[in-house]
Amino acid sequence: MAFVTQNLIQKFHKDGFLVLERFFTAEECDSMRNQIQRIIAEMEVPPHCRTEFSTKGEEQLRVQGSSDYFLTSGDKIRFFFEKGVLDEKGNFLIPKEKSISKIGHALHAYDPVFKQVTHSSKVQELGRKLGLERPVIVQSMYIFKQPGIGGEEPLGRVLGFWIALEDATQENSCLWFIPGSHTSGITRRMVRAPPGSSTCVEFVGSERTYDDNQFIPVPISKGGLILIHGEVVHKSELNKSELSRHAFTFHVMEAKDTSWSKENWLQPTPELPFPSLYT
């Protein structure tokens, strides 16, 4: 892990993201992919919980906001589906392993394979090089980016560790960033709605509009890690290729001198307080 130099840490602070190729081995990537297949094979999803996952503002409120299944997923392993993969009765129109958008939000806590990766010595060492004193893990997700249907991903917030479990290219929807955009501050947040609202979450503020030509593509090979500042503007497009683009991502917050907002949609619970990154 000696390859993460102070120059690279400075580059991260300047750009708001950092690409570290070959951070994880092919074997580590394959163990995560194999484990997720086992999780899907055993998946039992009640029809009323077959929640489509969407990142578009209005759709996000309609589909997720009215759904307790999403709001209470912070301390569980739950399944979210692509649009158009279920019929009116909630039955799958395509094989279920091709229908899933993501699995979240507590793989890091409850699954041994993902827990081991999240707390691996190289991740902990990277945290220390970044100067994190009391980092805690807020949430984790396995993102499938299914061929032909994998939707767009929204702009991000906390410090993200994004691991490519397959090569991510412009063809199969790699991430795109606006370098340096993390210095201009947040203009929109997704928060819990007041009791009695028609949705469980709402958006406060408005998203700035960004010119497409401000974004640069950031392709990365299988096993690569992209470190993402919580306020850097980034996105990924629809996956129009025939290849999936699996990724495992988790978010870390410096807990020293920080209190987690009670407004955030995701909250620690008595069953799962945010675990420390350092073991």
Side-chain angles (χ1 to χ4, degrees):
M1 258 287 300
F3 59 83
V4 183
T5 61
Q6 276 310 304
N7 280 352
L8 286 175
I9 300 291
Q10 283 169 347
K11 183 171 168 52
F12 169 68
H13 289 305
K14 175 173 163 279
D15 292 341
F17 67 95
L18 181 65
V19 175
L20 299 170
E21 289 281 10
R22 293 184 294 283
F23 192 88
F24 290 94
T25 64
E27 292 73 32
E28 286 171 312
C29 292
D30 292 342
S31 74
M32 286 186 266
R33 293 199 61 190
N34 293 337
Q35 185 69 352
I36 219 74
Q37 290 310 316
R38 284 195 282 273
I39 289 171
I40 293 170
E42 293 165 14
M43 162 176 85
E44 295 271 333
V45 188
H48 72 277
C49 290
R50 289 182 174 176
T51 307
E52 289 181 358
F53 183 72
S54 173
T55 55
K56 287 277 197 326
E58 288 304 308
E59 271 182 46
Q60 200 169 12
L61 292 180
R62 181 177 56 76
V63 176
Q64 285 168 205
S66 58
S67 170
D68 225 30
Y69 188 73
F70 173 78
L71 209 56
T72 57
S73 64
D75 63 350
K76 300 175 187 68
I77 295 175
R78 286 190 165 167
F79 306 91
F80 302 91
F81 302 99
E82 294 288 1
K83 290 192 316 196
V85 300
L86 302 165
D87 65 17
E88 296 77 40
K89 297 191 179 117
N91 298 311
F92 292 105
L93 298 169
I94 59 174
K96 66 179 181 181
E97 66 276 6
K98 292 221 180 339
S99 67
I100 298 179
S101 166
K102 68 170 201 167
I103 296 176
H105 287 93
L107 286 161
H108 62 280
Y110 296 130
D111 183 88
V113 172
F114 291 98
K115 187 174 190 173
Q116 190 177 2
V117 166
T118 306
H119 292 281
S120 60
S121 56
K122 46 197 169 187
V123 168
Q124 294 190 25
E125 192 177 328
L126 179 53
R128 291 194 171 94
K129 289 200 168 172
L130 288 162
L132 299 176
E133 291 186 46
R134 282 181 46 214
V136 294
I137 301 146
V138 174
Q139 61 136 303
S140 56
M141 284 186 288
Y142 192 105
I143 303 167
F144 291 83
K145 207 60 146 174
Q146 302 283 7
I149 54 174
E152 302 155 79
E153 285 167 43
L155 308 177
R157 295 295 171 250
V158 228
L159 178 65
F161 290 71
W162 192 97
I163 305 158
L165 303 185
E166 301 178 278
D167 292 350
T169 64
Q170 284 195 55
E171 286 67 48
N172 74 345
S173 189
C174 66
L175 296 181
W176 294 65
F177 288 86
I178 302 180
S181 56
H182 58 302
T183 56
S184 45
I186 290 173
T187 58
R188 187 183 82 146
R189 292 174 60 225
M190 185 165 98
V191 300
R192 293 188 165 227
S197 305
S198 59
T199 60
C200 298
V201 293
E202 63 187 15
F203 290 105
V204 176
S206 59
E207 200 69 79
R208 287 194 190 95
T209 50
Y210 299 99
D211 202 331
D212 278 348
N213 62 23
Q214 292 177 272
F215 288 89
I216 61 161
V218 181
I220 189 164
S221 304
K222 176 179 176 174
L225 169 73
I226 304 180
L227 193 60
I228 304 172
H229 185 287
E231 294 175 32
V232 73
V233 179
H234 64 287
K235 65 175 184 176
S236 70
E237 303 293 351
L238 289 166
N239 180 3
K240 295 183 178 141
S241 77
E242 292 172 15
L243 302 167
S244 58
R245 190 226 62 192
H246 288 207
F248 175 57
T249 177
F250 57 92
H251 292 150
V252 166
M253 176 188 79
E254 171 63 273
K256 183 175 183 280
D257 303 327
T258 311
S259 61
W260 186 252
S261 170
K262 291 273 181 276
E263 289 189 319
N264 287 334
W265 77 262
L266 187 144
Q267 293 293 326
T269 63
E271 295 74 34
L272 182 63
F274 293 149
S276 171
L277 177 66
Y278 302 146
T279 47

